[in-house]
mmCIF file of all heavy atoms in Angstrom:
data_model
loop_
_atom_site.group_PDB
_atom_site.id
_atom_site.type_symbol
_atom_site.label_atom_id
_atom_site.label_comp_id
_atom_site.label_asym_id
_atom_site.label_seq_id
_atom_site.Cartn_x
_atom_site.Cartn_y
_atom_site.Cartn_z
ATOM 1 N N ASP A 212 2.543 4.665 9.202
ATOM 2 C CA ASP A 212 2.390 3.891 10.442
ATOM 3 C C ASP A 212 1.056 4.450 11.235
ATOM 4 O O ASP A 212 0.315 5.186 10.524
ATOM 5 C CB ASP A 212 3.617 3.933 11.392
ATOM 6 C CG ASP A 212 3.850 5.471 11.766
ATOM 7 O OD1 ASP A 212 3.062 6.354 11.388
ATOM 8 O OD2 ASP A 212 4.793 5.766 12.464
ATOM 9 N N GLY A 213 0.833 4.287 12.507
ATOM 10 C CA GLY A 213 -0.320 4.604 13.068
ATOM 11 C C GLY A 213 -1.590 4.050 12.447
ATOM 12 O O GLY A 213 -2.633 4.693 12.510
ATOM 13 N N LEU A 214 -1.556 2.694 12.129
ATOM 14 C CA LEU A 214 -2.586 2.177 11.397
ATOM 15 C C LEU A 214 -3.898 1.902 12.363
ATOM 16 O O LEU A 214 -3.572 1.379 13.425
ATOM 17 C CB LEU A 214 -2.231 0.775 10.839
ATOM 18 C CG LEU A 214 -1.038 0.895 9.762
ATOM 19 C CD1 LEU A 214 -0.749 -0.530 9.403
ATOM 20 C CD2 LEU A 214 -1.348 1.716 8.634
ATOM 21 N N THR A 215 -4.979 2.366 11.909
ATOM 22 C CA THR A 215 -6.271 2.171 12.663
ATOM 23 C C THR A 215 -6.992 0.893 12.114
ATOM 24 O O THR A 215 -6.627 0.284 11.019
ATOM 25 C CB THR A 215 -7.153 3.302 12.734
ATOM 26 O OG1 THR A 215 -7.721 3.515 11.320
ATOM 27 C CG2 THR A 215 -6.323 4.573 13.151
ATOM 28 N N ALA A 216 -8.038 0.464 12.851
ATOM 29 C CA ALA A 216 -8.902 -0.655 12.445
ATOM 30 C C ALA A 216 -9.605 -0.363 11.022
ATOM 31 O O ALA A 216 -9.583 -1.078 10.201
ATOM 32 C CB ALA A 216 -9.999 -1.047 13.452
ATOM 33 N N PHE A 217 -9.884 1.094 10.922
ATOM 34 C CA PHE A 217 -10.481 1.536 9.573
ATOM 35 C C PHE A 217 -9.454 1.311 8.555
ATOM 36 O O PHE A 217 -9.751 0.976 7.415
ATOM 37 C CB PHE A 217 -10.924 2.987 9.897
ATOM 38 C CG PHE A 217 -11.588 3.352 8.585
ATOM 39 C CD1 PHE A 217 -12.984 3.193 8.350
ATOM 40 C CD2 PHE A 217 -10.868 4.115 7.544
ATOM 41 C CE1 PHE A 217 -13.563 3.800 7.238
ATOM 42 C CE2 PHE A 217 -11.505 4.719 6.480
ATOM 43 C CZ PHE A 217 -12.733 4.491 6.314
ATOM 44 N N ASP A 218 -8.106 1.715 8.850
ATOM 45 C CA ASP A 218 -7.090 1.649 7.750
ATOM 46 C C ASP A 218 -6.990 0.151 7.325
ATOM 47 O O ASP A 218 -6.750 -0.078 6.080
ATOM 48 C CB ASP A 218 -5.778 2.099 8.276
ATOM 49 C CG ASP A 218 -5.849 3.649 8.720
ATOM 50 O OD1 ASP A 218 -6.674 4.330 8.006
ATOM 51 O OD2 ASP A 218 -5.246 4.027 9.621
ATOM 52 N N ARG A 219 -6.837 -0.720 8.367
ATOM 53 C CA ARG A 219 -6.648 -2.115 7.933
ATOM 54 C C ARG A 219 -7.771 -2.811 7.177
ATOM 55 O O ARG A 219 -7.465 -3.454 6.246
ATOM 56 C CB ARG A 219 -6.490 -2.969 9.327
ATOM 57 C CG ARG A 219 -5.225 -2.443 10.124
ATOM 58 C CD ARG A 219 -5.115 -3.398 11.372
ATOM 59 N NE ARG A 219 -4.193 -2.833 12.257
ATOM 60 C CZ ARG A 219 -2.847 -2.960 12.182
ATOM 61 N NH1 ARG A 219 -2.331 -3.629 11.130
ATOM 62 N NH2 ARG A 219 -2.008 -2.379 13.033
ATOM 63 N N GLU A 220 -9.021 -2.299 7.500
ATOM 64 C CA GLU A 220 -10.115 -2.908 6.769
ATOM 65 C C GLU A 220 -10.113 -2.328 5.298
ATOM 66 O O GLU A 220 -10.311 -3.079 4.224
ATOM 67 C CB GLU A 220 -11.406 -2.395 7.376
ATOM 68 C CG GLU A 220 -12.690 -2.971 6.676
ATOM 69 C CD GLU A 220 -13.887 -2.601 7.363
ATOM 70 O OE1 GLU A 220 -13.874 -1.985 8.532
ATOM 71 O OE2 GLU A 220 -14.938 -2.929 6.728
ATOM 72 N N ALA A 221 -9.833 -1.135 5.068
ATOM 73 C CA ALA A 221 -9.624 -0.513 3.754
ATOM 74 C C ALA A 221 -8.449 -1.050 2.806
ATOM 75 O O ALA A 221 -8.684 -1.291 1.758
ATOM 76 C CB ALA A 221 -9.406 0.995 3.932
ATOM 77 N N LEU A 222 -7.384 -1.259 3.541
ATOM 78 C CA LEU A 222 -6.213 -1.903 2.838
ATOM 79 C C LEU A 222 -6.064 -3.358 2.703
ATOM 80 O O LEU A 222 -5.237 -3.842 2.002
ATOM 81 C CB LEU A 222 -4.925 -1.285 3.541
ATOM 82 C CG LEU A 222 -4.691 0.242 3.524
ATOM 83 C CD1 LEU A 222 -3.520 0.573 4.290
ATOM 84 C CD2 LEU A 222 -4.565 0.706 2.021
ATOM 85 N N GLY A 223 -6.950 -4.067 3.461
ATOM 86 C CA GLY A 223 -7.026 -5.477 3.337
ATOM 87 C C GLY A 223 -5.633 -6.081 3.561
ATOM 88 O O GLY A 223 -5.034 -5.910 4.519
ATOM 89 N N ARG A 224 -5.238 -7.010 2.581
ATOM 90 C CA ARG A 224 -4.036 -7.816 2.847
ATOM 91 C C ARG A 224 -2.727 -6.969 2.826
ATOM 92 O O ARG A 224 -1.711 -7.402 3.235
ATOM 93 C CB ARG A 224 -3.881 -8.862 1.772
ATOM 94 C CG ARG A 224 -3.769 -8.241 0.406
ATOM 95 C CD ARG A 224 -3.611 -9.409 -0.695
ATOM 96 N NE ARG A 224 -3.551 -8.918 -2.113
ATOM 97 C CZ ARG A 224 -2.729 -9.501 -2.890
ATOM 98 N NH1 ARG A 224 -2.190 -10.682 -2.595
ATOM 99 N NH2 ARG A 224 -2.774 -9.049 -4.072
ATOM 100 N N TYR A 225 -2.932 -5.662 2.531
ATOM 101 C CA TYR A 225 -1.623 -4.799 2.456
ATOM 102 C C TYR A 225 -1.316 -4.473 4.054
ATOM 103 O O TYR A 225 -0.195 -3.866 4.249
ATOM 104 C CB TYR A 225 -1.821 -3.648 1.720
ATOM 105 C CG TYR A 225 -1.850 -3.718 0.145
ATOM 106 C CD1 TYR A 225 -3.152 -4.072 -0.440
ATOM 107 C CD2 TYR A 225 -0.730 -3.881 -0.551
ATOM 108 C CE1 TYR A 225 -3.054 -4.297 -1.751
ATOM 109 C CE2 TYR A 225 -0.745 -4.205 -1.920
ATOM 110 C CZ TYR A 225 -1.919 -4.417 -2.528
ATOM 111 O OH TYR A 225 -2.027 -4.760 -3.811
ATOM 112 N N ALA A 226 -2.279 -4.517 4.891
ATOM 113 C CA ALA A 226 -2.123 -4.116 6.215
ATOM 114 C C ALA A 226 -2.787 -5.082 7.166
ATOM 115 O O ALA A 226 -3.741 -4.796 7.804
ATOM 116 C CB ALA A 226 -2.756 -2.821 6.605
ATOM 117 N N PRO A 227 -2.101 -6.251 7.289
ATOM 118 C CA PRO A 227 -2.730 -7.367 8.260
ATOM 119 C C PRO A 227 -2.612 -6.900 9.674
ATOM 120 O O PRO A 227 -1.942 -5.969 9.977
ATOM 121 C CB PRO A 227 -1.743 -8.496 7.936
ATOM 122 C CG PRO A 227 -0.414 -7.996 7.483
ATOM 123 C CD PRO A 227 -0.889 -6.787 6.670
ATOM 124 N N ASP A 228 -3.310 -7.687 10.541
ATOM 125 C CA ASP A 228 -3.475 -7.132 11.914
ATOM 126 C C ASP A 228 -2.175 -7.134 12.637
ATOM 127 O O ASP A 228 -2.064 -6.249 13.578
ATOM 128 C CB ASP A 228 -4.402 -8.263 12.624
ATOM 129 C CG ASP A 228 -5.895 -8.279 12.181
ATOM 130 O OD1 ASP A 228 -6.098 -7.302 11.525
ATOM 131 O OD2 ASP A 228 -6.568 -9.214 12.309
ATOM 132 N N ASP A 229 -1.238 -7.932 12.354
ATOM 133 C CA ASP A 229 0.090 -7.951 13.088
ATOM 134 C C ASP A 229 1.016 -6.871 12.569
ATOM 135 O O ASP A 229 2.180 -6.771 12.946
ATOM 136 C CB ASP A 229 0.606 -9.319 13.246
ATOM 137 C CG ASP A 229 0.736 -9.953 11.822
ATOM 138 O OD1 ASP A 229 0.183 -9.346 10.766
ATOM 139 O OD2 ASP A 229 1.536 -11.005 11.654
ATOM 140 N N ALA A 230 0.733 -6.103 11.535
ATOM 141 C CA ALA A 230 1.695 -5.329 10.890
ATOM 142 C C ALA A 230 1.570 -3.872 11.458
ATOM 143 O O ALA A 230 0.414 -3.321 11.773
ATOM 144 C CB ALA A 230 1.385 -5.079 9.364
ATOM 145 N N THR A 231 2.669 -3.230 11.919
ATOM 146 C CA THR A 231 2.591 -1.812 12.478
ATOM 147 C C THR A 231 2.823 -0.882 11.370
ATOM 148 O O THR A 231 2.535 0.326 11.596
ATOM 149 C CB THR A 231 3.738 -1.765 13.403
ATOM 150 O OG1 THR A 231 4.938 -2.096 12.860
ATOM 151 C CG2 THR A 231 3.583 -2.674 14.574
ATOM 152 N N THR A 232 3.296 -1.161 10.228
ATOM 153 C CA THR A 232 3.420 -0.231 9.105
ATOM 154 C C THR A 232 3.066 -0.904 7.798
ATOM 155 O O THR A 232 2.858 -2.171 7.638
ATOM 156 C CB THR A 232 4.987 0.098 9.041
ATOM 157 O OG1 THR A 232 5.748 -0.928 8.658
ATOM 158 C CG2 THR A 232 5.462 0.754 10.352
ATOM 159 N N VAL A 233 2.752 -0.029 6.937
ATOM 160 C CA VAL A 233 2.516 -0.636 5.573
ATOM 161 C C VAL A 233 3.215 0.245 4.443
ATOM 162 O O VAL A 233 3.352 1.518 4.556
ATOM 163 C CB VAL A 233 0.846 -0.563 5.230
ATOM 164 C CG1 VAL A 233 0.420 0.913 5.290
ATOM 165 C CG2 VAL A 233 0.562 -1.136 3.764
ATOM 166 N N SER A 234 3.755 -0.350 3.510
ATOM 167 C CA SER A 234 4.663 0.369 2.425
ATOM 168 C C SER A 234 3.969 0.208 1.106
ATOM 169 O O SER A 234 3.701 -0.863 0.602
ATOM 170 C CB SER A 234 6.047 -0.291 2.371
ATOM 171 O OG SER A 234 6.750 0.111 3.594
ATOM 172 N N ILE A 235 3.845 1.322 0.491
ATOM 173 C CA ILE A 235 3.292 1.394 -0.890
ATOM 174 C C ILE A 235 4.134 2.263 -1.704
ATOM 175 O O ILE A 235 4.622 3.333 -1.214
ATOM 176 C CB ILE A 235 1.878 1.995 -0.798
ATOM 177 C CG1 ILE A 235 1.035 1.017 0.065
ATOM 178 C CG2 ILE A 235 1.213 2.000 -2.150
ATOM 179 C CD1 ILE A 235 -0.371 1.557 0.417
ATOM 180 N N TRP A 236 4.380 1.966 -2.943
ATOM 181 C CA TRP A 236 5.067 2.789 -3.765
ATOM 182 C C TRP A 236 4.462 3.062 -5.238
ATOM 183 O O TRP A 236 3.893 2.014 -5.737
ATOM 184 C CB TRP A 236 6.571 2.445 -3.891
ATOM 185 C CG TRP A 236 6.978 1.090 -4.299
ATOM 186 C CD1 TRP A 236 7.181 0.559 -5.502
ATOM 187 C CD2 TRP A 236 7.065 -0.092 -3.469
ATOM 188 N NE1 TRP A 236 7.535 -0.612 -5.559
ATOM 189 C CE2 TRP A 236 7.422 -1.136 -4.286
ATOM 190 C CE3 TRP A 236 6.758 -0.289 -2.012
ATOM 191 C CZ2 TRP A 236 7.625 -2.398 -3.784
ATOM 192 C CZ3 TRP A 236 6.951 -1.587 -1.681
ATOM 193 C CH2 TRP A 236 7.398 -2.652 -2.377
ATOM 194 N N ARG A 237 4.764 4.073 -5.816
ATOM 195 C CA ARG A 237 4.399 4.363 -7.186
ATOM 196 C C ARG A 237 5.508 4.510 -8.016
ATOM 197 O O ARG A 237 6.527 5.128 -7.678
ATOM 198 C CB ARG A 237 3.506 5.685 -7.125
ATOM 199 C CG ARG A 237 2.700 5.898 -8.455
ATOM 200 C CD ARG A 237 1.900 7.185 -8.299
ATOM 201 N NE ARG A 237 0.768 7.054 -9.279
ATOM 202 C CZ ARG A 237 -0.490 7.424 -9.160
ATOM 203 N NH1 ARG A 237 -0.927 7.817 -8.069
ATOM 204 N NH2 ARG A 237 -1.309 7.371 -10.151
ATOM 205 N N THR A 238 5.521 3.777 -9.169
ATOM 206 C CA THR A 238 6.553 3.931 -10.190
ATOM 207 C C THR A 238 6.036 4.399 -11.408
ATOM 208 O O THR A 238 4.888 4.260 -11.942
ATOM 209 C CB THR A 238 7.250 2.502 -10.350
ATOM 210 O OG1 THR A 238 6.260 1.508 -10.779
ATOM 211 C CG2 THR A 238 7.823 1.957 -9.039
ATOM 212 N N TRP A 239 6.914 5.108 -12.167
ATOM 213 C CA TRP A 239 6.656 5.692 -13.518
ATOM 214 C C TRP A 239 7.928 5.201 -14.394
ATOM 215 O O TRP A 239 8.986 5.510 -14.109
ATOM 216 C CB TRP A 239 6.531 7.192 -13.512
ATOM 217 C CG TRP A 239 6.127 7.735 -14.813
ATOM 218 C CD1 TRP A 239 4.807 8.085 -15.152
ATOM 219 C CD2 TRP A 239 6.965 8.243 -15.954
ATOM 220 N NE1 TRP A 239 4.941 8.655 -16.404
ATOM 221 C CE2 TRP A 239 6.196 8.650 -16.836
ATOM 222 C CE3 TRP A 239 8.286 8.162 -15.999
ATOM 223 C CZ2 TRP A 239 6.693 9.151 -18.046
ATOM 224 C CZ3 TRP A 239 8.978 8.665 -17.193
ATOM 225 C CH2 TRP A 239 8.084 9.098 -18.233
ATOM 226 N N ASP A 240 7.495 4.437 -15.379
ATOM 227 C CA ASP A 240 8.654 3.954 -16.214
ATOM 228 C C ASP A 240 8.293 4.107 -17.662
ATOM 229 O O ASP A 240 7.490 3.545 -18.378
ATOM 230 C CB ASP A 240 8.772 2.411 -15.977
ATOM 231 C CG ASP A 240 10.042 1.734 -16.572
ATOM 232 O OD1 ASP A 240 10.718 2.539 -17.385
ATOM 233 O OD2 ASP A 240 10.403 0.593 -16.194
ATOM 234 N N ASP A 241 8.872 5.193 -18.192
ATOM 235 C CA ASP A 241 8.704 5.646 -19.535
ATOM 236 C C ASP A 241 7.313 5.782 -20.047
ATOM 237 O O ASP A 241 6.794 5.242 -20.854
ATOM 238 C CB ASP A 241 9.457 4.611 -20.565
ATOM 239 C CG ASP A 241 9.605 5.182 -21.866
ATOM 240 O OD1 ASP A 241 9.529 6.492 -22.034
ATOM 241 O OD2 ASP A 241 10.032 4.502 -22.823
ATOM 242 N N GLY A 242 6.502 6.253 -19.044
ATOM 243 C CA GLY A 242 5.002 6.562 -19.288
ATOM 244 C C GLY A 242 4.117 5.569 -18.578
ATOM 245 O O GLY A 242 2.916 5.826 -18.614
ATOM 246 N N GLU A 243 4.543 4.451 -18.193
ATOM 247 C CA GLU A 243 3.745 3.340 -17.543
ATOM 248 C C GLU A 243 3.781 3.734 -16.118
ATOM 249 O O GLU A 243 4.798 3.719 -15.432
ATOM 250 C CB GLU A 243 4.297 2.028 -17.881
ATOM 251 C CG GLU A 243 3.437 0.975 -17.332
ATOM 252 C CD GLU A 243 3.821 -0.444 -17.598
ATOM 253 O OE1 GLU A 243 4.934 -0.587 -18.160
ATOM 254 O OE2 GLU A 243 3.199 -1.408 -17.208
ATOM 255 N N ASP A 244 2.577 3.917 -15.505
ATOM 256 C CA ASP A 244 2.406 4.249 -14.120
ATOM 257 C C ASP A 244 1.794 3.053 -13.420
ATOM 258 O O ASP A 244 0.722 2.479 -13.777
ATOM 259 C CB ASP A 244 1.422 5.417 -14.125
ATOM 260 C CG ASP A 244 1.187 6.002 -12.638
ATOM 261 O OD1 ASP A 244 1.760 5.368 -11.710
ATOM 262 O OD2 ASP A 244 0.720 7.099 -12.533
ATOM 263 N N LYS A 245 2.441 2.684 -12.333
ATOM 264 C CA LYS A 245 2.111 1.486 -11.584
ATOM 265 C C LYS A 245 2.043 1.709 -10.112
ATOM 266 O O LYS A 245 2.889 2.599 -9.554
ATOM 267 C CB LYS A 245 2.984 0.357 -11.725
ATOM 268 C CG LYS A 245 2.800 -0.444 -13.203
ATOM 269 C CD LYS A 245 3.607 -1.670 -13.161
ATOM 270 C CE LYS A 245 3.225 -2.383 -14.538
ATOM 271 N NZ LYS A 245 4.034 -3.696 -14.675
ATOM 272 N N ILE A 246 1.159 1.089 -9.323
ATOM 273 C CA ILE A 246 1.151 1.173 -7.890
ATOM 274 C C ILE A 246 1.589 -0.246 -7.421
ATOM 275 O O ILE A 246 1.164 -1.310 -7.837
ATOM 276 C CB ILE A 246 -0.164 1.379 -7.301
ATOM 277 C CG1 ILE A 246 -0.723 2.770 -7.864
ATOM 278 C CG2 ILE A 246 -0.240 1.453 -5.897
ATOM 279 C CD1 ILE A 246 0.016 3.926 -7.542
ATOM 280 N N THR A 247 2.499 -0.187 -6.449
ATOM 281 C CA THR A 247 3.043 -1.449 -5.830
ATOM 282 C C THR A 247 2.972 -1.358 -4.315
ATOM 283 O O THR A 247 3.121 -0.358 -3.794
ATOM 284 C CB THR A 247 4.550 -1.750 -6.255
ATOM 285 O OG1 THR A 247 4.583 -1.490 -7.591
ATOM 286 C CG2 THR A 247 5.102 -2.950 -5.847
ATOM 287 N N GLY A 248 2.636 -2.564 -3.740
ATOM 288 C CA GLY A 248 2.710 -2.627 -2.244
ATOM 289 C C GLY A 248 3.207 -3.859 -1.756
ATOM 290 O O GLY A 248 3.373 -4.846 -2.465
#
């Protein structure tokens, strides 16, 4: 939370103007590493 204009610009569609928070998660599945948002 506490998203700034700089954060929103860097995160793009993951942090639209009307969002107060952004959720991102990292998964590891038997050696496969992925980022999800």
